[in-house]
Amino acid sequence: MINNGHHTALSPEEIKLGELTRVETAFGSVLLTNVEGKLCGFSARCPHAGADLAAGDLHRNRISCPKHDWKFNIESGRTVYPADEACRLRRYPIQIIDGRIYIQER
């Protein structure tokens, strides 16, 4: 049994390449996307400015904050621009269980 997570009604096929899909969970809004066939889940809020990253620009594996244009690698969570080791994007592990996406809380 898996604890501390959120089952979605979404199948992996519903998460399209390069598009963001918002899922509301008990632990906050999570954005899901497909990067070259791999599902990624991360917080919908910028860790620096608190802006809604769903309004940001997603390009390959990077999301840009619409408020301050900070860029984050969605696979590692690291800040790409500007260089800042202390500010990281919160990521959520994804599993597929019975054909549905499961988001694990960290």
Side-chain angles (χ1 to χ4, degrees):
M1 182 174 165
I2 299 173
N3 295 322
N4 298 326
H6 176 82
H7 283 281
T8 72
L10 299 170
S11 68
E13 295 77 23
E14 293 178 85
I15 308 302
K16 304 297 181 199
L17 281 169
E19 292 181 10
L20 295 171
T21 301
R22 180 187 302 273
V23 176
E24 298 302 328
T25 71
F27 42 91
S29 293
V30 175
L31 295 176
L32 300 175
T33 192
N34 180 329
V35 177
E36 298 176 5
K38 179 182 175 188
L39 294 182
C40 293
F42 55 95
S43 173
R45 292 278 164 218
C46 172
H48 168 251
D52 183 3
L53 291 176
D57 180 41
L58 178 66
H59 183 69
R60 296 190 186 187
N61 67 340
R62 295 179 179 178
I63 186 86
S64 297
C65 175
K67 190 170 184 179
H68 287 107
D69 202 35
W70 280 37
K71 293 173 179 41
F72 301 92
N73 180 303
I74 62 173
E75 293 176 289
S76 70
R78 295 181 75 153
T79 305
V80 178
Y81 174 82
D84 185 341
E85 289 298 315
C87 191
R88 299 256 174 137
L89 184 64
R90 184 170 186 167
R91 298 173 307 115
Y92 295 95
I94 303 295
Q95 288 186 326
I96 307 304
I97 300 174
D98 296 328
R100 297 290 175 220
I101 297 170
Y102 181 82
I103 304 167
Q104 289 181 273
E105 182 179 15
R106 287 193 163 201

